[in-house]
C-alpha cells in the first residue's frame, strides 16, 4: 500500500515535469523489447528513458531484453548461455530488466537505498548475476581475477611496488626526494581501476535531479569495474569488466580490445603482443564477417583466427558439433605457466596468490635466486592437463609438429628471461652491498627502477611474445634489445659509482 | 567569349590525346551523381576523371554530389547539415562540385590561377565553406584550433621548444654540440603538419601534364591540412583536417582515428588514452553497426559508446528527439580544463593563447611556481557552464554519482600532477643555479629534457588518463611510474654533479 | 596397388575410431566447395576434418576451393589471379586442395614423408605456388624480401647487431657482463620470425594421434613464415607470410595489419607511421565498405585511401579500366630510396644486399662518413623509373604540386637525418678513441646503444614519417625530439667520462 502510494507520487512528479519532457513516447521504447517487462522494470524505464536514455536504449538492444528466462532455459545445450537449471519463478516470464538485477537481495547490498518506492542497489555484483549464471560465477570465483584486489594489496612486495608507482614525492629541507604517504584515492585512480577497488558506502547525499531532490548513496572507490572489485555485498569481481553494461554484448566481451583495457602494457603487454601476431592480422582483416554472438563457436567458420577469448575462455566445436574445448570463466584452466613476474614459473596452485610464502617469507612463487617454490605451484598432472587444454585449441588449426615446436620455443624464452633476471637481480644485490642504492624500498632508486623494468617490461614482453607469436616483442619492442640495454646500463652505473667511491668505504 | 574559346581549346586538347585516354566514359561517371552538375563542374570532371580519377570517384560518392543545396535547405532542423539560411542563387540547384568550391571568391585567394579558362584556386578554405556552413566556420574561428599556428609560433616559450625539437645539431670545433639556425622547412615538415603552416604562393611554374604544358602556382608550406593553417586568402584553418577531401565523409570526420592523426602522443596522448578505455573497447567491437552519418545522433541507438566527437562536438538527442547537447565546432565549449601544459588549469579565456602574459612576461596561464594566472582563465560561470555541457553527455548513459565521482578523480589527477611538476621545476631551477645546465634554452640539455618529458609526456598522460578513464596512462604507460622515474633521475643527476663539482665553485 | 591398400587401411582406421568421432558429416563439408575435389584431396579432408577442422573449414571458404584452375584461366586479364598460361592437366578441373599443394614435387622437398599412402610435405613453398602463379614467384625472387635471411645472417655488420640483440649475458668472475655464444634457437625465435629461418629436417619421430601412432618429420626452424624462409626444397620465401594459410584471403594479404606483423617498429616503424597518417584515418573509418578482393582496384571506388599494398604492390585502374600501375610482388620496383639504415640512400642495385662491400669492406651501401657507395646503388634511370611508378599512385588522387612537394619533403628528411647520423657517428668514434667504449662490438655498450637507437629507431622513424605523411613520427614519437635527446646524451656521456678520466691516459 505504502509502495503504491510512492509509485503514485512518482507518476505525479513525472506529470509535473511536462515542460522538461517535451516529447516522451514510452510505448515506442518498450515496444522494441520483445520479452514482456515486469511492472517494476516498466516503472524504472518510464523515468530512466528521460534521465539516462543511453542506458535504456542499449539495454533494449540486449539479449536480456529480447528473451525471457523461461525461453533461455529451453535452448539446446550448445546454444544456451544461462547455466542455472532452476530460476526463481518471478524471473521466468519477463525480460531481465532494470529491476531484475538492481533490486535482487536488497538486504545483502550495503548500497541499497529507497528510490521511488523500490529498494535499489547501484552496484550489480556477481552474486546477482549468479541467479541465472551460477556456473560462470563459480568458475570465476576460483580464478586469480576474482582475487585481483587482494593479490595486489595484501601482497607486501607488489603493494610496495604499487605504492612506489602511485605515491607523491616531495623535496625535503635537505633537497632530497622523499615519498609522501599514500591514500585510497592514489590506488583507486590507477592500479585498482583494473584490479578492482573496495566499493564502500559512506552515507547518503541529496542531489538535484530532473525529478526534484533525491537521495543517493555516497560511494567511495566508484566508478570501478575492475576484475577483482570488492563489492558492497562482499562478493568479489565485476562481470561488467568484460560484459559491458547495459547491452552485455558477447561481441564486446569477446573482443581483444576488451581484454586490452587492462592487458596492454608495458607491464602486461598481452594485447600489444597479440596485435603484432599473424592471428591478429587475420582478426583485423577478417573479423567483420565472423560470428561473435554464438555461445559455441565453430572453428574455421565462426572465426578464422583466435582472439584472446578463443584460446583462454570460449567454447569451441567442430562443424559436426563435437566440443573441442568447453567454455570457462576461470582462465587458469588453460594456463600452464605464469609468465608474469621477476621469474616465470609453472602457474600458482591457488587463486589467492598473496598467500604464498617463500623461504624469505616473501609472497612470491620463487626465491630471489630464481628457484621455483614448487610447493606453491601446480603439480605435473595439473600442468599437463592445462597444457593439453590449451593445445586442443591450437590443434584445431595446426599440426602437432607446429604446436609442439611452438611450446618448446616458449619454454626457451622462459629459460632465457629467467637466466637474465637472475643476472639483473645479482647486479641489484651488488648495488645494495656497495651502497649505490638502499634495499629498504627495492623499487624507487634509479638502478632499482632499471631492475624493475628489466622484468616488468622486458622479460614479460619476451615471454608474452614467445607465448603468442608476436616476435616484435621478443626483439625490438620492449624485448631483448631493451633487456640487454638495461643490463648494460645497470653494470655501467655500478662501474661509475665504484670509480668515484672513496676507497675506504669499500667493503 | 574568351572563356568559350578557351573551353573549346580544352576540348581540342582532349581529342588530341585519344591514344592516351584509351577508354573514357564521362556519361557513366557523371550518371552516378544524383544532383545536376554545373557546367563548370562538368568541365572539371571531363579532364580530372583522367588525371586524378581517385578524387572524382570519391567526390561522386559524397553528399556534396548527391544533393543540391536547395534540397539540403529543405531538410528538417535535426537532419540538416547546412547552416546557411540563404545561399547565392547559382549554387542552389546544382551539386556542390569542383567549381563550386575551387572557383569561389577568386580575387581573395592568392593562389588563384588561370586554368583552362577558369580562375581556380588550389587551397579551399573555411571562407569558401562558409557559404553553406557559416555557423560551423564562425564557431571554429573562436576556438584554439583556428589559432594553432600562432599559438605555437608566436608563443616564444613554445616556439623555443619547437625549435629545439626540429633544429639540426652540429659539432663545433671544440667538440661541443651546437644548434643550427632553423628554417621554414624544419617547422613545416613536423609541428606545423598538425598546427597548420603558412601557405604562400611563390610564383608560377610550367609543368608537363597529360594534356601538355600547363602553368601552376608554386606553393610553399603545402601539402598541409593542419587545423590552424594560414591560408592564401588570409583565413585560418583547414576544414579538410577532419572532413577529409573529397568525399567529406561524416564517418571519417567523426572517427577517433581522425582526431588521432594529431592527438596521438606521446605529447598529446588523447587517442591512445581513449583506446585503452572501456568506451573504446565498445567502439572497436560494436561500431560497425553504428550510424555514423546522421547529423543528430540518438544516444544508445546510433552509438553505444562515445568517441572523441561524441563528447567534444556532436549533437546528441534522445530517442524522442529532445536535444541533449547541440553540435559545436568550438571544442572549448565543452572543455572546463586545459590539461595540456606544465601545469593544468581551468581553460584559457581566449582562443589566441599566445597573447597571455604572466608576471614574468611569459605567455603561460600560470607562474612557473604553478600558481594559475586567474586573469587569463575562464571565470566560474563559464567553467560551470562548460562542465555542465560535458556532463550532459556523460549523464545520458551514467548516473550522477558516477559522473560526479569521475570528475573528482580528474581534479585529483590535476592536483597530483601539478604538485609533481612544481617539484620537477624546483629541481630544474636548482640545476640551473648549481651550473649543471644553462637556462638560456631551458629545453635542450639532458636534465632539461627530463623536465620537459615530465610534463609533456607523463603529467599530460596522467591527466588525459584520468579525464577519459584510460588508467593505463595514469599508471605504467607514460604515467606515474615514468613520472616518478624521471624525478628520481633528475635528483640523481644533480647529486652526481654536485659530488664531482669542485668545492670552491659552489655558491 | 600398394597405395590402394594403404588407403583401405586408413578407411579401416577411421571406422575403428567411431567412438572418438561422434558425428562426422563429410558430405556436408565438401558440399560447400563448389569446385570438384581430386580423390587425393577428398582423402585428406576425410581425416583432417576431424584432426584439424579449422584448416579444412578455412580452406572451404577460400577461392582455391571454389573455382577450378581451368575456370580461373578463362577469366579476363584484369580479373585473373593466376599468371600461368599452362598448368599440368591433372590440376585443371579440380579445386586447389590439400593434395594439390602438399604433394607436388615430392622428391624435391626434404620434408616429404609417407602419410597414409601419400608422399606429403609439410612446408609448401614458392616453388609449389609457382605452378599457377609463376609471374608472382619470379618477381618475388628478385626482391630483397626473398633474400631476407642472407641479408641479415650473411651480412657481418647486421649479423653482429642481431647477435648483440639475441645473445644471453653472463656475469664473469670479475663482475663484468660478458656475452654468451648464440645458437640457432636464439635467432629463430626472434629476428628470423620475420626474416625467415632455415627449415631443416632432423629425422622422423613417432607421435600419438587420434588415428594411432604416426611418423612425422622433425623440423627445425619451424613454425616460421618469414619472408625469406630457406625452405627444405632450397627455395626462398614463404607466400603465407602475407597470403595467410589456409583461406589465402586477398583481404588479409592486403590489410596493413599483415604488413604490420613485421614492419611495426621501433626498428622499421612503417605500420605505426602509416597509422597516424590521414590515409590511415580514412582506412580505419571507411574500409569496411571497400572492395578488398578484386585483383584490379578502381581508385576512389574500390578504395578511398591507400594502404601499404596499394602503394607498393597492387594493380590500380581507373573507372574506365585503364591500368594506372601494374601489380608487382617485387616491392622494390616502386621504391626509389632505401630509408632503412644508418644513412638513407637511393635503393640498392641488387636484392642480395649482403654482397655489397664499401671501402672498408663492410656490406653497407655507404661509407661510415655517410658518403653513398654509388656503385652499389640504382642508377639515375632506375631511380626515375621507380619514382615515377610510385608517383603514378599518388597522382591518381593528388595534384602534381602536392605530390612533388611531398617528395621534396622526403628528400629534406633524408638529408636532415643523414647529417645528424654523421654527427652521431663522429661522437661514437670519439668515444672509441677516448676509451669510453671499445669498437670490437660497436653495438653493445651504453653509448653505442644510444648510437644504434639514433639511427635504427629515430632517424628511421623520421624518414618513414616523412615518406608516408605520419608527422608524429617526425616529431615526438621516436622522432626529432628523441634524436636530439640521444645526441645530447652521447655528448654528455663523453663529457662526464673525460672529466673523471685521469689526465695521463688522454691521447
Amino acid at each position: 500500500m505504502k509502495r503504491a502510494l510512492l509509485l503514485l507520487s512518482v507518476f505525479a512528479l513525472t506529470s509535473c515535469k511536462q515542460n522538461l519532457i517535451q516529447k516522451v513516447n514510452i510505448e515506442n521504447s518498450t515496444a522494441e523489447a520483445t520479452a514482456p517487462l515486469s511492472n517494476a522494470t516498466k516503472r524504472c524505464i518510464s523515468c530512466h528513458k528521460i534521465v539516462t536514455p543511453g542506458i535504456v536504449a542499449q539495454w533494449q538492444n540486449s539479449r536480456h531484453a529480447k528473451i525471457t528466462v523461461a525461453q533461455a532455459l529451453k535452448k539446446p545445450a550448445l546454444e544456451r548461455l544461462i547455466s542455472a537449471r532452476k530460476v526463481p519463478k518471478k524471473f521466468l516470464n519477463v525480460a531481465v530488466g532494470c529491476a531484475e538485477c538492481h533490486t535482487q537481495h536488497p538486504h545483502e547490498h550495503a548500497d541499497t537505498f529507497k528510490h521511488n518506492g523500490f529498494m535499489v542497489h547501484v552496484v550489480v555484483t556477481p552474486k546477482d548475476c549468479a541467479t541465472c549464471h551460477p556456473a560462470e560465477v563459480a568458475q570465476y570465483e576460483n580464478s586469480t581475477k576474482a582475487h585481483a584486489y587482494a593479490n595486489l594489496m595484501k601482497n607486501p612486495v607488489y603493494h610496495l611496488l604499487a605504492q612506489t608507482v602511485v605515491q607523491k614525492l616531495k623535496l625535503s629541507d635537505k633537497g632530497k626526494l622523499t615519498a609522501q604517504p599514500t591514500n585510497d584515492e592514489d590506488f583507486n585512480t590507477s592500479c585498482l581501476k583494473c584490479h578492482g577497488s573496495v566499493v564502500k558506502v559512506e552515507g547518503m547525499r541529496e542531489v538535484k535531479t530532473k525529478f526534484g531532490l533525491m537521495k543517493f548513496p555516497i560511494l567511495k572507490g566508484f566508478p570501478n569495474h575492475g576484475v577483482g572489485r570488492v563489492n558492497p555485498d562482499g562478493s568479489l569481481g565485476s562481470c561488467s569488466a568484460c560484459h559491458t553494461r547495459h547491452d552485455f554484448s558477447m561481441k564486446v566481451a569477446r573482443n581483444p580490445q576488451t581484454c586490452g583495457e587492462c592487458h596492454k602494457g608495458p607491464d602486461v603487454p598481452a594485447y600489444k603482443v597479440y596485435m603484432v601476431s599473424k592471428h591478429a592480422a587475420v582478426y583485423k582483416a577478417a573479423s567483420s564477417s565472423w560470428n561473435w554472438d554464438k555461445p559455441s563457436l565453430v572453428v574455421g567458420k565462426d572465426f578464422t583466427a583466435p582472439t584472446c577469448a578463443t584460446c583462454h575462455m570460449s567454447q569451441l566445436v567442430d562443424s559436426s558439433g563435437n566440443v573441442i574445448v568447453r567454455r570457462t570463466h576461470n582462465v587458469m584452466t588453460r594456463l600452464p605457466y605464469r609468465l608474469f613476474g621477476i621469474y616465470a614459473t609453472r602457474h600458482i596452485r591457488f587463486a589467492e596468490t598473496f598467500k604464498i610464502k617463500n623461504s624469505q617469507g616473501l609472497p612470491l612463487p620463487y626465491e630471489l635466486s630464481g628457484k621455483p617454490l614448487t610447493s606453491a605451484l601446480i603439480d605435473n598432472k595439473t600442468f599437463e592437463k592445462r597444457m593439453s587444454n590449451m593445445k586442443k585449441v591450437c590443434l584445431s588449426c595446426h599440426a602437432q609438429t607446429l604446436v609442439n615446436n611452438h611450446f618448446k620455443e616458449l619454454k626457451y624464452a622462459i629459460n632465457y628471461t629467467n637466466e637474465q633476471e637472475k643476472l639483473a637481480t645479482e647486479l641489484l644485490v651488488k648495488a645494495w652491498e656497495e651502497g649505490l642504492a638502499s634495499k629498504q624500498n627495492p623499487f624507487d632508486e634509479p638502478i632499482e627502477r632499471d631492475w624493475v623494468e628489466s622484468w616488468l617490461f622486458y622479460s614479460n614482453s619476451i615471454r608474452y611474445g614467445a607465448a603468442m607469436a608476436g616476435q616484435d616483442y621478443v626483439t625490438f619492442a620492449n624485448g631483448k634489445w631493451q633487456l640487454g640495454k638495461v643490463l648494460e646500463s645497470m653494470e655501467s652505473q655500478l662501474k661509475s659509482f665504484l670509480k668515484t667511491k672513496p676507497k675506504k668505504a669499500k667493503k
Side-chain angles (χ1 to χ4, degrees), chain A residues 15-33:
Chain A
S15 325
C16 294
K17 299 280 169 179
Q18 283 298 351
N19 291 342
L20 176 79
I21 313 147
Q22 299 133 15
K23 299 161 273 172
V24 176
N25 192 339
I26 295 176
E27 295 319 307
N28 264 6
S29 73
T30 54
E32 286 168 28

Side-chain angles (χ1 to χ4, degrees), chain A residues 126 135-147 226-229 236-239 241-242 313 329-330 351:
Chain A
E136 288 70 25
V137 171
Q139 289 163 355
Y140 189 81
E141 279 171 354
N142 284 319
S143 78
T144 44
K145 290 209 182 309
H147 300 276
V227 292
R229 192 178 62 194
L236 299 178
S238 162
C239 300
C242 309
M313 304 186 77
H329 276 67
N330 179 351

